[in-house]
Amino acid sequence: MEINKIQIGSFGKFKNFEMCFDKNMQIIYGENEAGKSTIMEFIKIMLYSRRSGDTTGKDDKILRAKYTPWIGDKEMYGAIEFTHNSTYYKLQKKIDLNSVSKDITNLLNISSGEIINFKKKQEVGEYLFDIDVKSFERTGYIKNLGDEGFEQSKSNIDTLTEKIINFSLTGSEELSINTIISRLENAIKDLTRNKNKSGKIPETKQEISDLSEKIYNLNRLELKQAEILDKINNIKKMQAEKSYLKTKLETIERDREITLIKDLISIKKQNIEINSRLNIPEHSIIEKLYNTKENIKFHENKILEQKIDNFCSKNREIVEDITNQRKALENSINHKKKFLMSINFTVLSFTLFLFFISLFVTKFGIVTNILAFITGVLGIFHYKKYINYMKSNKNELSKLQEQIDNIESEIMCRFKTQTQIIMQNTKIIDKYKEEFVSILSNYGNISNYDHALDFFDTIMINSQKIEKNNEKIKNYEKILCIKYKSIHELEKLVEQHEFSDFSATSEEIFEIKNRLEQLESMNLDNLYIENHKKITKNNENIDNLNSDLVNQKKYLEKLENYLKSLEIAKEVFCECLDSIRRTFSPDLNNHASEILKNITGEKYNKLYVQKDYKIIINNDFFDRTYENFSSGTIDQAYLALRIAISKLISSEIPLILDDVLVRYDTNRIINTLNFLKKTSKNTQIILFTCHDYIVNCAEKLGIKIINI
């Protein structure tokens, strides 16, 4: 990896700051507080957001608080442009002030325009170098002096140690020793147990046990097979019977349906024929005509009521009766008048006779005069009686005549009223008849009202017939579930149907349905499946089972031998791994020794790295621990170790050094700068310093100086 340019938008003291780098070696010079450490931390936080695992830890919070922008911004952000494996990238990141999880990272492959996607919680440095932040701090990012940063954690071997061991055993840090051990353990687990499942060996043992049990039980099950087969045969017979009866019933019902459809077609055609022949009006028109006819009938009844009204006739009878009474009274008066007149005439005649006798016969004169007087008195009495009788009967006759006159007057009034009512209703009837004839003229050749009545009666008869037919059609369609199908479609159904030879009475159909219900309730299909499963489930051969049992026992023996081999391999591999961890990697020792030799001017030619990264330096045939040497020599030894580890793990990691030469003498500064300059031909080196004498030495060697 070669860093080409950094762009600090806002980070610590820097705001809109930019710096470019060469692909070889350069020294970044600046006085104290110039921002060298800020630039180093910016590069590291761009590659690794976290300092303490997956979550935001105390170290992360301290670091982010330390480099909070000085000038107003509420977030840190920037970019790095670099080349990695001949591909040009641009890394952009927004760094949250409080939480690592809120950082926004964007890595763009400028060469292809592709945006790189990371795994969950994967760091950019892990993606590029395949090492964690701790390993990066011990190799390419050298900020500490001496053995600082090489303290072992309490956890198992870290990624740096793992890569060194991988390289020692396999020649490649990519082939993981832990992966090999994990594969051995997984293979053992696969044989013995796997998560919540049993392994192959327990499974095989169980299969052997199951086979033995099957062989034992098979003899007992064979006796039941014949019984089950008989049940299956009986079920098949009943299924066949059920299928036959169902088909028969469906066919009969279908034949009946087609017969009903034929009747339905006939009824529909009859309606069409009636409509085409009579041009029957709509229902609303028929209803209007019917109401008009009823109105005519209503008013005719009113006229009839007036005509048959017996008021006049009754009163005329009364008049006639009174007239008869009057005539009878007149006859009685005349008869009595004649009688009284005759009596009066007789009395008067007798009186006159006696009067004349008294005139001419003297000897009877007194007697005759008395008789004449009595007769005269009687005549006067009868005459008065006659006069009184005539007066009383004359009054009676006058009353009867008055009664006759009143009744005749009332009869005349009533007759006038009836005449008016009859005339009004006659006009209304004529209007209704005209309307009746007018409406029906639209549906036929109507000459008069009587013709219209006949035509309407014909319409009503046929309309009622159509209504009855429509009711039948509804019932048929409800039964057949073929609502709104056309005659053509119905005829097509009839044409497509072939009537069967099946025939059955209602009683026979009832019996068929009862039998089908009985068969349905038996769940024959389920019974068949259940019994068939019993046959197939236990349809095994004892010889085959015995053969399988022998094979399973052989397979178990093979698995147990394979398990022993895996356990031995794991044990031997772990012993070898422990031995390598104790002695560590010869390649690392050789690389670090060669670097130390160049830095110290061949004063120290050999060093050894222990498991805990403690260093032993060879001095005049004696191996001494690093504590016995000066601080400058210790710095040089651990610098050699860091560079050796970095080159051993990956040549792609750039070396970023922070004043690592501060405790060196002039000769060793020059030696180290010369070594770093040669190394920078293959690895980019960025050295930060605040010391003039280091810069002066670098300038003499032709190393590029960048001032902040």
Side-chain angles (χ1 to χ4, degrees):
M1 174 182 175
E2 297 169 3
I3 299 174
N4 303 108
K5 185 197 295 185
I6 64 169
Q7 295 171 315
I8 302 176
S10 183
F11 188 83
K13 69 181 291 182
F14 290 108
K15 175 76 174 178
N16 298 327
F17 175 80
E18 185 175 294
M19 179 176 283
C20 297
F21 300 93
D22 286 344
K23 66 177 182 178
N24 303 121
M25 181 176 176
Q26 53 254 290
I27 293 177
I28 312 300
Y29 172 73
E31 296 179 353
N32 289 332
E33 305 297 330
K36 300 183 299 300
S37 298
T38 302
I39 293 173
M40 286 189 70
E41 285 296 339
F42 173 76
I43 293 172
K44 185 169 69 170
I45 202 169
M46 290 293 286
L47 296 172
Y48 295 93
S49 291
R50 294 175 177 81
R51 294 289 180 274
S52 52
D54 292 337
T55 57
T56 305
K58 183 179 179 181
D59 293 342
D60 295 309
K61 291 181 179 179
I62 292 172
L63 180 68
R64 289 167 186 254
K66 180 178 179 181
Y67 292 103
T68 298
W70 292 9
I71 306 173
D73 287 330
K74 294 184 179 180
E75 62 180 0
M76 300 173 282
Y77 59 93
I80 297 178
E81 295 182 12
F82 60 91
T83 304
H84 182 68
N85 291 333
S86 302
T87 303
Y88 200 78
Y89 293 90
K90 184 171 185 179
L91 171 63
Q92 297 172 311
K93 182 179 284 189
K94 287 185 179 181
I95 305 162
D96 190 77
L97 297 179
N98 301 308
S99 175
V100 173
S101 62
K102 294 181 180 179
D103 289 354
I104 300 174
T105 303
N106 183 29
L107 180 58
L108 175 66
N109 183 335
I110 296 178
S111 302
S112 65
E114 177 189 3
I115 295 176
I116 308 301
N117 295 318
F118 299 102
K119 297 178 183 178
K120 188 177 181 181
K121 295 185 179 180
Q122 185 182 26
E123 299 279 12
V124 178
E126 292 173 351
Y127 173 78
L128 296 171
F129 313 130
D130 199 23
I131 59 173
D132 61 13
V133 64
K134 295 296 183 184
S135 299
F136 180 68
E137 289 172 345
R138 295 174 186 178
T139 54
Y141 187 85
I142 303 173
K143 193 175 181 181
N144 300 316
L145 298 174
D147 64 344
E148 292 181 32
F150 278 98
E151 301 84 0
Q152 281 280 24
S153 62
K154 294 181 182 180
S155 62
N156 200 0
I157 188 166
D158 60 16
T159 58
L160 176 62
T161 307
E162 182 182 351
K163 284 184 174 290
I164 296 172
I165 293 174
N166 292 344
F167 189 85
S168 301
L169 284 174
T170 65
S172 172
E173 73 271 10
E174 298 301 327
L175 184 57
S176 174
I177 299 305
N178 281 349
T179 301
I180 296 172
I181 295 174
S182 176
R183 287 176 181 175
L184 288 170
E185 290 175 345
N186 288 337
I188 292 170
K189 287 179 181 178
D190 187 50
L191 292 173
T192 56
R193 62 181 179 82
N194 186 10
K195 294 183 180 179
N196 296 327
K197 298 179 181 179
S198 60
K200 290 181 179 179
I201 290 175
E203 286 177 356
T204 305
K205 288 180 178 179
Q206 183 62 42
E207 286 181 10
I208 290 171
S209 175
D210 293 342
L211 283 171
S212 300
E213 187 176 355
K214 282 182 180 180
I215 293 168
Y216 173 77
N217 292 328
L218 189 59
N219 290 324
R220 296 176 58 191
L221 293 172
E222 283 181 351
L223 296 174
K224 296 182 180 179
Q225 300 307 304
E227 182 181 349
I228 294 170
L229 286 172
D230 288 339
K231 286 182 180 179
I232 289 174
N233 289 331
N234 289 331
I235 290 169
K236 285 181 177 179
K237 289 178 182 179
M238 286 188 285
Q239 284 177 327
E241 181 189 1
K242 175 185 169 184
S243 177
Y244 171 76
L245 291 175
K246 193 172 183 181
T247 302
K248 183 177 181 180
L249 183 61
E250 288 175 352
T251 304
I252 292 169
E253 289 179 346
R254 186 58 179 166
D255 288 345
R256 289 190 171 187
E257 284 181 2
I258 296 300
T259 303
L260 290 175
I261 289 172
K262 290 172 74 175
D263 293 341
L264 178 60
I265 292 169
S266 175
I267 293 169
K268 285 192 171 187
K269 284 184 176 180
Q270 188 178 8
N271 281 356
I272 292 170
E273 188 273 330
I274 292 170
N275 281 317
S276 63
R277 177 167 48 83
L278 290 176
N279 189 20
I280 293 176
E282 295 178 359
H283 181 73
S284 59
I285 301 298
I286 292 174
E287 188 174 354
K288 186 176 181 180
L289 288 168
Y290 178 79
N291 291 334
T292 303
K293 183 182 175 184
E294 289 298 314
N295 286 331
I296 291 170
K297 191 183 290 186
F298 171 75
H299 289 289
E300 284 178 343
N301 288 335
K302 276 193 170 184
I303 291 172
L304 186 61
E305 285 175 3
Q306 296 301 322
K307 287 182 177 180
I308 64 173
D309 188 3
N310 59 4
F311 173 78
C312 293
S313 59
K314 286 182 179 179
N315 282 283
R316 288 186 185 281
E317 288 176 1
I318 293 171
V319 169
E320 288 177 1
D321 185 53
I322 294 172
T323 302
N324 291 332
Q325 288 181 16
R326 184 172 177 275
K327 286 180 179 180
L329 183 59
E330 285 178 347
N331 291 330
S332 176
I333 290 170
N334 290 330
H335 180 71
K336 202 161 187 177
K337 182 179 177 182
K338 288 179 180 180
F339 174 71
L340 291 174
M341 286 294 290
S342 64
I343 291 175
N344 288 331
F345 181 74
T346 303
V347 172
L348 181 59
S349 298
F350 185 70
T351 302
L352 289 174
F353 176 71
L354 290 177
F355 179 70
F356 282 113
I357 290 176
S358 64
L359 287 179
F360 294 102
V361 182
T362 56
K363 71 176 177 177
F364 296 106
I366 298 170
V367 176
T368 302
N369 288 331
I370 292 169
L371 288 172
F373 177 77
I374 292 169
T375 303
V377 172
L378 286 172
I380 293 167
F381 174 75
H382 279 287
Y383 180 74
K384 282 187 176 182
K385 188 175 180 181
Y386 165 74
I387 295 299
N388 290 332
Y389 175 76
M390 289 300 292
K391 284 182 179 180
S392 63
N393 282 287
K394 189 175 181 180
N395 291 334
E396 185 70 25
L397 286 173
S398 178
K399 287 180 181 179
L400 288 174
Q401 186 62 43
E402 185 180 355
Q403 191 175 357
I404 289 169
D405 292 340
N406 290 335
I407 291 171
E408 285 181 346
S409 176
E410 189 174 350
I411 288 171
M412 288 302 294
C413 290
R414 187 64 174 265
F415 179 75
K416 287 181 181 180
T417 303
Q418 285 179 340
T419 303
Q420 289 176 355
I421 291 171
I422 289 169
M423 289 177 68
Q424 289 175 356
N425 283 279
T426 301
K427 287 181 181 180
I428 293 170
I429 288 169
D430 291 340
K431 184 180 178 182
Y432 278 129
K433 284 182 178 180
E434 183 180 352
E435 182 183 0
F436 191 79
V437 171
S438 175
I439 293 171
L440 284 175
S441 295
N442 296 323
Y443 300 94
N445 188 11
I446 306 301
S447 58
N448 52 47
Y449 176 68
D450 293 333
H451 187 192
L453 280 176
D454 295 338
F455 185 65
F456 181 68
D457 291 339
T458 304
I459 287 174
M460 287 299 293
I461 291 168
N462 285 279
S463 176
Q464 290 171 1
K465 187 181 291 185
I466 288 174
E467 286 183 3
K468 288 180 182 179
N469 287 342
N470 287 336
E471 195 65 33
K472 289 180 182 179
I473 289 169
K474 285 182 182 178
N475 292 332
Y476 279 133
E477 288 178 342
K478 187 176 181 181
I479 294 168
L480 297 169
C481 300
I482 52 172
K483 192 174 182 182
Y484 304 127
K485 289 225 174 194
S486 65
I487 292 176
H488 176 70
E489 291 174 317
L490 295 173
E491 287 177 339
K492 195 172 181 181
L493 289 175
V494 174
E495 288 174 5
Q496 291 173 350
H497 180 74
E498 292 183 6
F499 284 92
S500 66
D501 296 330
F502 289 126
S503 62
T505 63
S506 299
E507 293 179 355
E508 289 173 340
I509 291 173
F510 180 75
E511 290 177 1
I512 290 171
K513 287 182 177 179
N514 283 340
R515 179 58 178 164
L516 279 172
E517 288 178 2
Q518 183 182 1
L519 293 171
E520 286 285 352
S521 65
M522 294 171 70
N523 292 322
L524 295 174
D525 292 338
N526 290 337
L527 286 174
Y528 178 82
I529 291 169
E530 289 174 5
N531 285 280
H532 197 271
K533 281 181 179 179
K534 291 176 184 178
I535 293 294
T536 55
K537 194 179 287 185
N538 299 305
N539 190 17
E540 294 176 296
N541 186 277
I542 293 178
D543 294 334
N544 292 337
L545 290 175
N546 284 323
S547 176
D548 291 343
L549 182 61
V550 171
N551 292 333
Q552 287 294 330
K553 286 180 178 179
K554 289 180 180 179
Y555 180 61
L556 177 61
E557 184 179 358
K558 182 180 177 180
L559 290 176
E560 288 175 340
N561 291 333
Y562 180 49
L563 176 61
K564 289 177 183 178
S565 300
L566 290 172
E567 289 173 341
I568 292 169
K570 179 186 174 185
E571 184 179 353
V572 171
F573 204 93
C574 289
E575 288 176 358
C576 292
L577 180 60
D578 290 340
S579 175
I580 291 170
R581 282 175 175 169
R582 285 192 297 269
T583 60
F584 229 59
S585 170
D587 290 321
L588 179 62
N589 292 337
N590 292 334
H591 278 76
S593 297
E594 185 65 26
I595 295 169
L596 184 62
K597 180 180 177 180
N598 287 313
I599 291 174
T600 61
E602 299 186 1
K603 182 175 182 179
Y604 302 109
N605 298 323
K606 195 70 176 175
L607 66 76
Y608 304 97
V609 182
Q610 295 178 309
K611 179 181 177 181
D612 55 359
Y613 295 104
K614 303 299 183 182
I615 293 177
I616 297 174
I617 302 175
N618 179 268
N619 182 27
D620 297 332
F621 305 103
F622 293 99
D623 294 333
R624 303 178 187 277
T625 59
Y626 72 100
E627 293 97 338
N628 295 312
F629 295 89
S630 68
S631 59
T633 301
I634 293 172
D635 287 350
Q636 292 153 22
Y638 271 100
L639 177 62
L641 173 61
R642 293 175 193 271
I643 295 173
I645 292 173
S646 175
K647 299 301 107 185
L648 194 62
I649 292 174
S650 174
S651 61
E652 290 294 329
I653 303 176
L655 291 177
I656 302 172
L657 313 174
D658 184 14
D659 254 345
V660 294
L661 310 179
V662 67
R663 293 195 289 198
Y664 291 22
D665 58 39
T666 304
N667 289 331
R668 291 189 179 180
I669 289 173
I670 294 172
N671 290 338
T672 304
L673 288 174
N674 264 323
F675 169 77
L676 292 175
K677 184 178 179 182
K678 292 176 183 178
T679 303
S680 70
K681 292 179 180 179
N682 298 316
T683 303
Q684 185 184 39
I685 297 175
I686 304 171
L687 189 151
F688 292 84
T689 184
C690 62
H691 298 286
D692 295 336
Y693 61 89
I694 295 175
V695 172
N696 293 333
C697 291
E699 286 177 339
K700 291 177 182 179
L701 296 173
I703 298 172
K704 182 179 179 180
I705 308 298
I706 300 174
N707 293 301
I708 301 178

